[in-house]
Amino acid sequence: MKKKITLAAALIFGVAAILGACSGGSAATTTAAPAATTEAPAPTETPAPTEAPATAAPAPATTVDLSAPEIKAIIDRGVLKVGCKTDIPKFSLQNTATGEYEGFEDDLAYEIAGVIFGITGAEAKAQKKVEFQGVTAKTRGPLLENGEIDLVIATFTITAERKETYNFSTPYYTDAVGLLVNNDSGINSINDLDGKIVGVAQSSTSKDGFLKYVEEKGLSVSPEFQEFDGYPALAQALASKQIDCFSVDRAILAGYVNEGNHILDDRFAEQDYGVASAKEKTALAALVEEKVTTMLADGTMKAMQDGWGLQ
Amino acid sequence: MLKGLLDAKRWAALLKAIPEYYIPGFVMTLRISLVGLALALALGVVFGILSTSKWKICKVITRIYVEFIQNTPLALQIMCYYSVLPMVFSSQGFRIPKFVLGVIGVGVYHGAYISEVIRTGIEAIPKGQSEAAASQGFSYVGTMRYVIMPQTIKIIMPPLANQALNLVKNTSILAMVAGMDLMYFTDSWGSNRGYFAQAYFTSALLYFIICFPLARLARYLEIRSMRLPVAKQIEIPAGGEGA
């Protein structure tokens, strides 16, 4: 056990030295801490945690505390585990040929990994510092809670209820819910949906958004809602006419438009996507928050979105 | 995860969700299970007896039904009833009510298994039994009713109970097509709030509430059928014949 730790410490030290991204001071913190946290007895002169960030000048987020145990664990592991969608064009799409994840949210994951490992987002991508795991609306919560993944960047809408369960960053993208209907259904606006069946994804906020929008507009539209596990199931149910309308975030909906259906003009329930982390991992959440707000402030977030053709 | 499991706030949220999610889900699952079981038993008995009949055509029909249903997944069959079947008959598609879909889904599926259980049960009775019955002048129906079936019941009770329990649990596949059953509402509430431990634990308990009495009932019937038949005490009227 001890051998393993020393080995890991040596390895990290080596990596840190090669990269040269960290200054001497922060490298010392990285190596000293694992020994201190596991086998405490030896009174090593661990530098005060507050001291380290101040010296780690080259890292982009200077006020971030990299010595918290959960961030240490990620650094020791060598990769940041992120849950992303696999099936949303432009946001996060897994390339079936290469298995790589491509999209705006995946690039954001690389940027955050860059902060943790003290490198740039592009370097993080080149060095494969992010281990992606495909998630759905249903699996992302449990995977985050049981520690299988560190972060969820998967069109995860921020709600007050969810904030009780997870940590959310400042919104990095704002989307609206849309309505996809079959061309031969005769449905031309939200008004035609009265008494029809609207399919929504499990664990999505589309239903609440729909009801709120209808109430605000004073419309008398009350469809029946049915929930499905995953978007392909919804698309299939719409294609076989088991549901009249497929309602989900427009970003996701765009991937399911074909010659037989179209998206209605109605848009409602503007919703914010945030980066989510497990509730107890506050230091990781703070790091993410710092990065996201920085990117929003200096325009890199906007540039990234434009790069992927969003908005 | 364990911390989340013991969180009082989450259990409080669950209590509030019971009337809206768990009650309708439980009722739907119970209804589908009972009617589905009735359908499965009816199909099973009919096809089980047909498969032991003398006519070849009956045997062929039951073989096709049993082999086709047994060798394809239930999830696929439900999917077929849900989306393929309606499209075959009309381009606009029609919608089978979820309750009917569930009953047909599990009923037809387990009907095939039950018919196999009954066929093997009947075939397990030595041929000499029906020959003996025939020699005593029993008709086919009489032989079945008084000689074969009482012995078959003993043999088939345990596998039949298995089928009944599996039927209840298999209704959960309906959640895939928004079946409004217990599993559907469990997924719905659990994933909406992120309180999976509470959601699934409660759901498991509710399935247990349906299955456990069914298992006990099957066990009771099994034990009862194992009792040896007792000869009926015939009251011989005093001062009877002859004397």
Side-chain angles (χ1 to χ4, degrees), chain A residues 22-68:
Chain A
C22 310
S23 70
S26 77
T29 347
T30 338
T31 48
T37 44
T38 46
E39 295 277 325
T44 39
E45 25 128 26
T46 321
T50 43
E51 196 182 307
T55 49
T62 47
T63 54
V64 164
D65 179 10
L66 287 176
S67 63

mmCIF file of all heavy atoms in Angstrom, chain A residues 22-68:
data_model
loop_
_atom_site.group_PDB
_atom_site.id
_atom_site.type_symbol
_atom_site.label_atom_id
_atom_site.label_comp_id
_atom_site.label_asym_id
_atom_site.label_seq_id
_atom_site.Cartn_x
_atom_site.Cartn_y
_atom_site.Cartn_z
ATOM 1 N N CYS A 22 3.445 23.617 -13.520
ATOM 2 C CA CYS A 22 3.332 24.096 -12.146
ATOM 3 C C CYS A 22 4.687 24.628 -11.696
ATOM 4 O O CYS A 22 5.726 24.133 -12.114
ATOM 5 C CB CYS A 22 2.939 22.944 -11.216
ATOM 6 S SG CYS A 22 1.538 22.048 -11.832
ATOM 7 N N SER A 23 4.637 25.560 -10.839
ATOM 8 C CA SER A 23 5.890 26.056 -10.273
ATOM 9 C C SER A 23 6.339 25.065 -9.217
ATOM 10 O O SER A 23 5.592 24.181 -8.820
ATOM 11 C CB SER A 23 5.667 27.424 -9.659
ATOM 12 O OG SER A 23 4.872 27.284 -8.504
ATOM 13 N N GLY A 24 7.548 25.218 -8.732
ATOM 14 C CA GLY A 24 8.083 24.299 -7.729
ATOM 15 C C GLY A 24 7.181 24.178 -6.513
ATOM 16 O O GLY A 24 6.955 23.096 -6.005
ATOM 17 N N GLY A 25 6.662 25.293 -6.071
ATOM 18 C CA GLY A 25 5.833 25.310 -4.857
ATOM 19 C C GLY A 25 4.622 24.409 -4.953
ATOM 20 O O GLY A 25 4.402 23.586 -4.086
ATOM 21 N N SER A 26 3.895 24.503 -6.048
ATOM 22 C CA SER A 26 2.657 23.733 -6.163
ATOM 23 C C SER A 26 2.950 22.260 -6.371
ATOM 24 O O SER A 26 2.208 21.401 -5.927
ATOM 25 C CB SER A 26 1.777 24.280 -7.284
ATOM 26 O OG SER A 26 2.282 23.861 -8.524
ATOM 27 N N ALA A 27 4.071 21.963 -7.025
ATOM 28 C CA ALA A 27 4.438 20.559 -7.228
ATOM 29 C C ALA A 27 4.706 19.903 -5.882
ATOM 30 O O ALA A 27 4.332 18.771 -5.648
ATOM 31 C CB ALA A 27 5.669 20.448 -8.120
ATOM 32 N N ALA A 28 5.323 20.645 -4.983
ATOM 33 C CA ALA A 28 5.613 20.116 -3.661
ATOM 34 C C ALA A 28 4.316 19.797 -2.929
ATOM 35 O O ALA A 28 4.194 18.759 -2.279
ATOM 36 C CB ALA A 28 6.426 21.120 -2.864
ATOM 37 N N THR A 29 3.321 20.642 -3.079
ATOM 38 C CA THR A 29 2.030 20.399 -2.432
ATOM 39 C C THR A 29 1.424 19.118 -2.960
ATOM 40 O O THR A 29 0.895 18.309 -2.214
ATOM 41 C CB THR A 29 1.017 21.518 -2.730
ATOM 42 O OG1 THR A 29 1.707 22.599 -3.299
ATOM 43 C CG2 THR A 29 0.275 21.933 -1.489
ATOM 44 N N THR A 30 1.499 18.932 -4.258
ATOM 45 C CA THR A 30 0.884 17.769 -4.881
ATOM 46 C C THR A 30 1.463 16.495 -4.313
ATOM 47 O O THR A 30 0.746 15.545 -4.032
ATOM 48 C CB THR A 30 1.140 17.769 -6.401
ATOM 49 O OG1 THR A 30 1.418 19.078 -6.815
ATOM 50 C CG2 THR A 30 -0.037 17.197 -7.134
ATOM 51 N N THR A 31 2.781 16.451 -4.123
ATOM 52 C CA THR A 31 3.402 15.217 -3.672
ATOM 53 C C THR A 31 3.267 15.033 -2.173
ATOM 54 O O THR A 31 3.072 13.923 -1.716
ATOM 55 C CB THR A 31 4.898 15.189 -4.045
ATOM 56 O OG1 THR A 31 5.454 16.431 -3.661
ATOM 57 C CG2 THR A 31 5.079 14.946 -5.519
ATOM 58 N N ALA A 32 3.333 16.089 -1.432
ATOM 59 C CA ALA A 32 3.308 15.971 0.021
ATOM 60 C C ALA A 32 1.938 15.519 0.517
ATOM 61 O O ALA A 32 1.850 14.694 1.402
ATOM 62 C CB ALA A 32 3.672 17.297 0.665
ATOM 63 N N ALA A 33 0.904 16.028 -0.081
ATOM 64 C CA ALA A 33 -0.440 15.792 0.450
ATOM 65 C C ALA A 33 -0.896 14.337 0.451
ATOM 66 O O ALA A 33 -1.431 13.893 1.451
ATOM 67 C CB ALA A 33 -1.443 16.672 -0.256
ATOM 68 N N PRO A 34 -0.690 13.552 -0.628
ATOM 69 C CA PRO A 34 -1.195 12.177 -0.588
ATOM 70 C C PRO A 34 -0.636 11.416 0.594
ATOM 71 O O PRO A 34 -1.341 10.676 1.267
ATOM 72 C CB PRO A 34 -0.713 11.575 -1.912
ATOM 73 C CG PRO A 34 -0.434 12.724 -2.787
ATOM 74 C CD PRO A 34 -0.065 13.864 -1.902
ATOM 75 N N ALA A 35 0.658 11.602 0.864
ATOM 76 C CA ALA A 35 1.283 10.925 1.986
ATOM 77 C C ALA A 35 0.635 11.373 3.290
ATOM 78 O O ALA A 35 0.357 10.569 4.170
ATOM 79 C CB ALA A 35 2.787 11.233 2.017
ATOM 80 N N ALA A 36 0.371 12.642 3.382
ATOM 81 C CA ALA A 36 -0.192 13.196 4.609
ATOM 82 C C ALA A 36 -1.604 12.688 4.848
ATOM 83 O O ALA A 36 -1.964 12.352 5.966
ATOM 84 C CB ALA A 36 -0.184 14.704 4.546
ATOM 85 N N THR A 37 -2.387 12.591 3.779
ATOM 86 C CA THR A 37 -3.783 12.219 3.969
ATOM 87 C C THR A 37 -3.943 10.735 4.272
ATOM 88 O O THR A 37 -4.843 10.343 4.986
ATOM 89 C CB THR A 37 -4.622 12.544 2.721
ATOM 90 O OG1 THR A 37 -3.882 12.127 1.587
ATOM 91 C CG2 THR A 37 -4.947 14.014 2.629
ATOM 92 N N THR A 38 -3.034 9.907 3.749
ATOM 93 C CA THR A 38 -3.211 8.472 3.937
ATOM 94 C C THR A 38 -2.581 7.958 5.219
ATOM 95 O O THR A 38 -3.191 7.237 5.977
ATOM 96 C CB THR A 38 -2.644 7.695 2.740
ATOM 97 O OG1 THR A 38 -1.367 8.238 2.425
ATOM 98 C CG2 THR A 38 -3.558 7.769 1.548
ATOM 99 N N GLU A 39 -1.328 8.331 5.459
ATOM 100 C CA GLU A 39 -0.590 7.696 6.558
ATOM 101 C C GLU A 39 -0.188 8.687 7.649
ATOM 102 O O GLU A 39 0.755 8.455 8.397
ATOM 103 C CB GLU A 39 0.662 7.001 6.004
ATOM 104 C CG GLU A 39 0.356 5.839 5.070
ATOM 105 C CD GLU A 39 0.066 4.548 5.810
ATOM 106 O OE1 GLU A 39 0.682 4.299 6.865
ATOM 107 O OE2 GLU A 39 -0.805 3.802 5.345
ATOM 108 N N ALA A 40 -0.879 9.712 7.754
ATOM 109 C CA ALA A 40 -0.615 10.826 8.659
ATOM 110 C C ALA A 40 0.605 10.857 9.609
ATOM 111 O O ALA A 40 1.166 11.919 9.771
ATOM 112 C CB ALA A 40 -1.870 11.152 9.457
ATOM 113 N N PRO A 41 1.010 9.747 10.276
ATOM 114 C CA PRO A 41 1.955 9.862 11.395
ATOM 115 C C PRO A 41 3.192 10.725 11.149
ATOM 116 O O PRO A 41 3.515 11.558 11.992
ATOM 117 C CB PRO A 41 2.370 8.409 11.671
ATOM 118 C CG PRO A 41 1.974 7.637 10.458
ATOM 119 C CD PRO A 41 0.783 8.340 9.944
ATOM 120 N N ALA A 42 3.907 10.516 10.039
ATOM 121 C CA ALA A 42 5.125 11.279 9.806
ATOM 122 C C ALA A 42 4.813 12.773 9.717
ATOM 123 O O ALA A 42 4.014 13.180 8.894
ATOM 124 C CB ALA A 42 5.801 10.797 8.520
ATOM 125 N N PRO A 43 5.417 13.558 10.589
ATOM 126 C CA PRO A 43 5.105 14.994 10.579
ATOM 127 C C PRO A 43 5.802 15.716 9.433
ATOM 128 O O PRO A 43 6.787 16.392 9.632
ATOM 129 C CB PRO A 43 5.601 15.459 11.944
ATOM 130 C CG PRO A 43 6.678 14.494 12.328
ATOM 131 C CD PRO A 43 6.420 13.204 11.594
ATOM 132 N N THR A 44 5.278 15.532 8.243
ATOM 133 C CA THR A 44 5.859 16.215 7.085
ATOM 134 C C THR A 44 5.448 17.679 7.134
ATOM 135 O O THR A 44 4.346 17.996 7.575
ATOM 136 C CB THR A 44 5.359 15.604 5.771
ATOM 137 O OG1 THR A 44 3.981 15.296 5.941
ATOM 138 C CG2 THR A 44 6.093 14.337 5.392
ATOM 139 N N GLU A 45 6.301 18.505 6.656
ATOM 140 C CA GLU A 45 5.982 19.942 6.696
ATOM 141 C C GLU A 45 5.141 20.279 5.468
ATOM 142 O O GLU A 45 5.657 20.714 4.454
ATOM 143 C CB GLU A 45 7.258 20.783 6.783
ATOM 144 C CG GLU A 45 8.492 20.086 6.205
ATOM 145 C CD GLU A 45 9.243 20.914 5.200
ATOM 146 O OE1 GLU A 45 9.167 22.146 5.255
ATOM 147 O OE2 GLU A 45 9.909 20.314 4.342
ATOM 148 N N THR A 46 3.832 19.989 5.586
ATOM 149 C CA THR A 46 2.901 20.274 4.496
ATOM 150 C C THR A 46 2.687 21.779 4.414
ATOM 151 O O THR A 46 2.351 22.402 5.417
ATOM 152 C CB THR A 46 1.552 19.605 4.764
ATOM 153 O OG1 THR A 46 1.790 18.329 5.341
ATOM 154 C CG2 THR A 46 0.725 19.489 3.502
ATOM 155 N N PRO A 47 2.855 22.337 3.268
ATOM 156 C CA PRO A 47 2.597 23.775 3.140
ATOM 157 C C PRO A 47 1.111 24.056 3.364
ATOM 158 O O PRO A 47 0.268 23.246 3.025
ATOM 159 C CB PRO A 47 2.976 24.089 1.689
ATOM 160 C CG PRO A 47 3.662 22.875 1.169
ATOM 161 C CD PRO A 47 3.245 21.727 2.006
ATOM 162 N N ALA A 48 0.830 25.165 3.949
ATOM 163 C CA ALA A 48 -0.575 25.534 4.185
ATOM 164 C C ALA A 48 -1.313 25.565 2.863
ATOM 165 O O ALA A 48 -0.777 26.057 1.873
ATOM 166 C CB ALA A 48 -0.643 26.893 4.864
ATOM 167 N N PRO A 49 -2.513 25.014 2.826
ATOM 168 C CA PRO A 49 -3.247 24.921 1.569
ATOM 169 C C PRO A 49 -3.456 26.264 0.862
ATOM 170 O O PRO A 49 -3.459 26.355 -0.345
ATOM 171 C CB PRO A 49 -4.595 24.322 1.960
ATOM 172 C CG PRO A 49 -4.544 24.032 3.417
ATOM 173 C CD PRO A 49 -3.237 24.438 3.947
ATOM 174 N N THR A 50 -3.609 27.307 1.649
ATOM 175 C CA THR A 50 -3.863 28.621 1.060
ATOM 176 C C THR A 50 -2.648 29.167 0.336
ATOM 177 O O THR A 50 -2.760 30.003 -0.550
ATOM 178 C CB THR A 50 -4.283 29.625 2.148
ATOM 179 O OG1 THR A 50 -3.430 29.434 3.269
ATOM 180 C CG2 THR A 50 -5.735 29.429 2.539
ATOM 181 N N GLU A 51 -1.500 28.657 0.739
ATOM 182 C CA GLU A 51 -0.257 29.160 0.181
ATOM 183 C C GLU A 51 -0.065 28.696 -1.272
ATOM 184 O O GLU A 51 0.402 29.431 -2.105
ATOM 185 C CB GLU A 51 0.901 28.643 1.035
ATOM 186 C CG GLU A 51 2.214 29.361 0.828
ATOM 187 C CD GLU A 51 3.275 28.716 1.710
ATOM 188 O OE1 GLU A 51 3.018 28.598 2.934
ATOM 189 O OE2 GLU A 51 4.302 28.291 1.175
ATOM 190 N N ALA A 52 -0.466 27.444 -1.505
ATOM 191 C CA ALA A 52 -0.199 26.826 -2.801
ATOM 192 C C ALA A 52 -0.795 27.580 -3.995
ATOM 193 O O ALA A 52 -0.073 27.869 -4.948
ATOM 194 C CB ALA A 52 -0.685 25.390 -2.803
ATOM 195 N N PRO A 53 -2.073 27.920 -3.961
ATOM 196 C CA PRO A 53 -2.650 28.574 -5.129
ATOM 197 C C PRO A 53 -1.954 29.891 -5.463
ATOM 198 O O PRO A 53 -1.815 30.241 -6.629
ATOM 199 C CB PRO A 53 -4.106 28.826 -4.728
ATOM 200 C CG PRO A 53 -4.361 27.902 -3.585
ATOM 201 C CD PRO A 53 -3.056 27.758 -2.903
ATOM 202 N N ALA A 54 -1.507 30.575 -4.426
ATOM 203 C CA ALA A 54 -0.877 31.869 -4.645
ATOM 204 C C ALA A 54 0.398 31.713 -5.469
ATOM 205 O O ALA A 54 0.706 32.542 -6.321
ATOM 206 C CB ALA A 54 -0.554 32.523 -3.312
ATOM 207 N N THR A 55 1.090 30.608 -5.241
ATOM 208 C CA THR A 55 2.355 30.408 -5.957
ATOM 209 C C THR A 55 2.132 29.816 -7.348
ATOM 210 O O THR A 55 2.951 29.964 -8.221
ATOM 211 C CB THR A 55 3.279 29.473 -5.164
ATOM 212 O OG1 THR A 55 2.517 28.334 -4.782
ATOM 213 C CG2 THR A 55 3.825 30.166 -3.940
ATOM 214 N N ALA A 56 1.002 29.116 -7.517
ATOM 215 C CA ALA A 56 0.741 28.478 -8.799
ATOM 216 C C ALA A 56 0.252 29.495 -9.823
ATOM 217 O O ALA A 56 -0.899 29.493 -10.218
ATOM 218 C CB ALA A 56 -0.284 27.355 -8.642
ATOM 219 N N ALA A 57 1.143 30.345 -10.205
ATOM 220 C CA ALA A 57 0.785 31.452 -11.085
ATOM 221 C C ALA A 57 0.339 31.040 -12.480
ATOM 222 O O ALA A 57 -0.639 31.584 -13.000
ATOM 223 C CB ALA A 57 1.934 32.440 -11.170
ATOM 224 N N PRO A 58 0.987 30.080 -13.142
ATOM 225 C CA PRO A 58 0.642 29.797 -14.554
ATOM 226 C C PRO A 58 -0.760 29.242 -14.735
ATOM 227 O O PRO A 58 -1.339 29.393 -15.790
ATOM 228 C CB PRO A 58 1.675 28.747 -14.978
ATOM 229 C CG PRO A 58 2.717 28.745 -13.905
ATOM 230 C CD PRO A 58 2.059 29.214 -12.675
ATOM 231 N N ALA A 59 -1.294 28.572 -13.710
ATOM 232 C CA ALA A 59 -2.654 28.032 -13.851
ATOM 233 C C ALA A 59 -3.631 29.185 -14.071
ATOM 234 O O ALA A 59 -3.512 30.219 -13.435
ATOM 235 C CB ALA A 59 -3.032 27.235 -12.613
ATOM 236 N N PRO A 60 -4.593 28.977 -14.980
ATOM 237 C CA PRO A 60 -5.490 30.078 -15.325
ATOM 238 C C PRO A 60 -6.343 30.579 -14.157
ATOM 239 O O PRO A 60 -6.532 31.770 -14.006
ATOM 240 C CB PRO A 60 -6.380 29.510 -16.432
ATOM 241 C CG PRO A 60 -6.090 28.056 -16.514
ATOM 242 C CD PRO A 60 -4.834 27.790 -15.780
ATOM 243 N N ALA A 61 -6.893 29.651 -13.362
ATOM 244 C CA ALA A 61 -7.721 30.076 -12.246
ATOM 245 C C ALA A 61 -6.866 30.127 -10.993
ATOM 246 O O ALA A 61 -6.556 29.102 -10.407
ATOM 247 C CB ALA A 61 -8.876 29.119 -12.055
ATOM 248 N N THR A 62 -6.484 31.302 -10.608
ATOM 249 C CA THR A 62 -5.503 31.418 -9.544
ATOM 250 C C THR A 62 -6.087 31.267 -8.157
ATOM 251 O O THR A 62 -5.386 30.901 -7.234
ATOM 252 C CB THR A 62 -4.781 32.780 -9.634
ATOM 253 O OG1 THR A 62 -5.779 33.782 -9.799
ATOM 254 C CG2 THR A 62 -3.808 32.803 -10.775
ATOM 255 N N THR A 63 -7.381 31.534 -7.990
ATOM 256 C CA THR A 63 -7.954 31.469 -6.651
ATOM 257 C C THR A 63 -8.487 30.081 -6.321
ATOM 258 O O THR A 63 -9.072 29.878 -5.284
ATOM 259 C CB THR A 63 -9.105 32.476 -6.509
ATOM 260 O OG1 THR A 63 -10.033 32.228 -7.566
ATOM 261 C CG2 THR A 63 -8.622 33.897 -6.573
ATOM 262 N N VAL A 64 -8.285 29.146 -7.214
ATOM 263 C CA VAL A 64 -8.839 27.825 -6.995
ATOM 264 C C VAL A 64 -7.948 26.998 -6.076
ATOM 265 O O VAL A 64 -6.734 27.009 -6.197
ATOM 266 C CB VAL A 64 -9.034 27.115 -8.353
ATOM 267 C CG1 VAL A 64 -9.243 25.636 -8.167
ATOM 268 C CG2 VAL A 64 -10.192 27.744 -9.070
ATOM 269 N N ASP A 65 -8.577 26.292 -5.156
ATOM 270 C CA ASP A 65 -7.850 25.478 -4.200
ATOM 271 C C ASP A 65 -7.715 24.052 -4.733
ATOM 272 O O ASP A 65 -8.673 23.291 -4.763
ATOM 273 C CB ASP A 65 -8.639 25.489 -2.880
ATOM 274 C CG ASP A 65 -7.947 24.638 -1.831
ATOM 275 O OD1 ASP A 65 -6.795 24.216 -2.079
ATOM 276 O OD2 ASP A 65 -8.564 24.414 -0.773
ATOM 277 N N LEU A 66 -6.511 23.711 -5.158
ATOM 278 C CA LEU A 66 -6.304 22.392 -5.764
ATOM 279 C C LEU A 66 -5.959 21.330 -4.734
ATOM 280 O O LEU A 66 -5.726 20.187 -5.075
ATOM 281 C CB LEU A 66 -5.186 22.466 -6.809
ATOM 282 C CG LEU A 66 -5.520 23.168 -8.128
ATOM 283 C CD1 LEU A 66 -4.287 23.250 -8.994
ATOM 284 C CD2 LEU A 66 -6.633 22.462 -8.868
ATOM 285 N N SER A 67 -5.924 21.693 -3.461
ATOM 286 C CA SER A 67 -5.466 20.726 -2.474
ATOM 287 C C SER A 67 -6.614 19.965 -1.806
ATOM 288 O O SER A 67 -6.385 19.105 -0.971
ATOM 289 C CB SER A 67 -4.649 21.437 -1.398
ATOM 290 O OG SER A 67 -5.472 22.355 -0.710
ATOM 291 N N ALA A 68 -7.845 20.277 -2.174
ATOM 292 C CA ALA A 68 -8.976 19.558 -1.583
ATOM 293 C C ALA A 68 -8.902 18.082 -1.957
ATOM 294 O O ALA A 68 -8.440 17.746 -3.041
ATOM 295 C CB ALA A 68 -10.287 20.155 -2.078
#
